[in-house]
Amino acid sequence: MDKFSGQKSAAQYLYPPIDPFDQRMLAVGEGHTIYVEQSGKPDGIPVVVLHGGPGGGCSPAMRRYFDPSVYRVVLFDQRGCGRSRPHAAIEGNTTWDLVADIEEIRTTLDIDRWIVFGGSWGATLALVYGQSHPDAVTHLVLRGVFLGTQSELDWFYGGGAAQFWPEVWRRFTDLVPEDERGDMIAAYHKRLFSGVAAEEMRFAKTWSQWENALASISSQGLGGEPPGTYARAFARLENHYFTNRCFLDEETAILNRMDRLKGIPGWIVQGRYDMICPPRMAWELSAKWPTSELRMVGDAGHALSEPGISAELVRIMNRIALG
């Protein structure tokens, strides 16, 4: 839940707040309309920012990682979340739909090629998009890598992270009958899509709090109280994607298609103590990607707002700007 994880702690490394020069709603088919905005320099180096979740939505702080005198920054809310409509909808909402949406945005804005910048689920989507449309990508800048594999889901929803945060894990599991705790994704799916509004909201908030509580290295294990409408979209969309293994199979698995990124420069920024997306996957990704650089950030967890991670991302974007 990058959107609500202590953004102020990283503010010293970011560019000043800016407003968009363009905001629009873009119809992308199957009843979905997505929010798209542009900020920075209208004729600058184009970069598209892919938010996490799925279902996290973009935030104004995401504009601030880029020099506004250099970059043309494109942000959008993925299907079903943020200002996109219909809200919290899972119909017509798959990884491949989102890849198509990114291409629709690129062609609508008359952009030839662009930098793709994404973290967590946004890194997953950036990699799948880059592998699907390598000719449209100049660089990939990734943070907190998640590759959409079963082992990663098992880590976070099957008790791996619980070894470090047993009291927080218990709050997450206590809502579910004991005989269903062997598959927490399925147990929450049943209740997030029950059709009972109060039940859906209760489980959505608890799902969101489990992730938010582990996002920052400075966390005390409290997940906060996320806004209800945000939590519902975030939890339903994440659960939908994870129930369907992010719509990836053996043929489309990211590590099995790394040849498609041949020659594309990449930067991977990873918190050494990331409890949500452990560093092993970032390391495996870099090992299969000769034109990438892995920047392991000590004293950092998962959140975009970790000071060390924010500082590294800004340095990378400044370096790219120099050519």
Side-chain angles (χ1 to χ4, degrees), residues 61-313:
M62 294 176 184
R63 305 168 191 150
R64 300 177 58 190
Y65 288 79
F66 316 96
D67 184 340
S69 70
V70 173
Y71 284 106
R72 175 185 179 185
V73 184
V74 180
L75 271 64
F76 73 102
D77 290 329
Q78 296 161 27
R79 294 190 184 200
C81 67
R83 286 150 287 191
S84 297
R85 293 294 180 268
H87 193 69
I90 63 169
E91 295 78 14
N93 198 334
T94 72
T95 303
W96 306 104
D97 291 316
L98 301 186
V99 167
D101 292 349
I102 299 168
E103 270 297 272
E104 182 69 20
I105 293 167
R106 186 182 67 82
T107 57
T108 297
L109 299 181
D110 197 26
I111 293 171
D112 182 27
R113 302 172 72 212
W114 53 8
I115 300 166
V116 183
F117 180 105
S120 194
W121 159 253
T124 321
L125 187 56
L127 287 161
V128 176
Y129 172 77
Q131 291 174 344
S132 301
H133 300 281
D135 292 341
V137 178
T138 61
H139 308 76
L140 286 167
V141 181
L142 312 176
R143 185 269 314 165
V145 166
F146 171 61
L147 300 181
T149 66
Q150 187 61 49
S151 66
E152 292 166 292
L153 295 175
D154 290 343
W155 162 263
F156 200 62
Y157 296 105
Q163 302 300 309
F164 293 86
W165 292 93
E167 73 281 19
V168 184
W169 176 249
R170 182 165 183 175
R171 292 202 301 265
F172 181 63
T173 59
D174 270 357
L175 289 187
V176 174
E178 193 168 350
D179 62 355
E180 294 185 52
R181 293 177 190 172
D183 188 342
M184 292 300 295
I185 293 175
Y188 267 76
H189 183 85
K190 179 179 177 181
R191 292 152 179 95
L192 289 169
F193 297 94
S194 67
V196 179
E199 181 179 55
E200 290 185 0
M201 190 63 74
R202 181 186 180 202
F203 279 83
K205 287 185 175 183
T206 306
W207 174 283
S208 303
Q209 287 169 331
W210 161 242
E211 182 165 335
N212 202 33
L214 274 62
S216 172
I217 194 172
S218 61
S219 171
Q220 299 301 309
L222 302 174
E225 181 71 18
T229 54
Y230 174 87
R232 184 170 181 268
F234 180 84
R236 282 167 59 94
L237 290 176
E238 248 194 12
N239 185 278
H240 164 65
Y241 272 76
F242 296 164
T243 296
N244 290 283
R245 306 297 182 263
C246 297
F247 301 93
L248 302 175
D249 55 24
E250 189 68 21
E251 184 178 342
T252 57
I254 289 169
L255 291 180
N256 292 344
R257 302 205 303 169
M258 290 307 295
D259 59 301
R260 294 169 178 248
L261 298 180
K262 184 177 180 180
I264 296 177
W267 284 267
I268 305 164
V269 179
Q270 182 71 34
R272 173 67 72 182
Y273 301 105
D274 189 333
M275 281 286 160
I276 297 174
C277 298
R280 182 175 64 89
M281 303 311 286
W283 184 84
E284 289 190 14
L285 177 67
S286 69
K288 290 199 169 191
W289 190 4
T291 52
S292 70
E293 294 183 26
L294 174 60
R295 307 284 179 85
M296 198 71 75
V297 181
D299 296 327
H302 181 72
L304 172 63
S305 55
E306 298 277 26
I309 289 176
S310 285
E312 193 61 52
L313 288 169

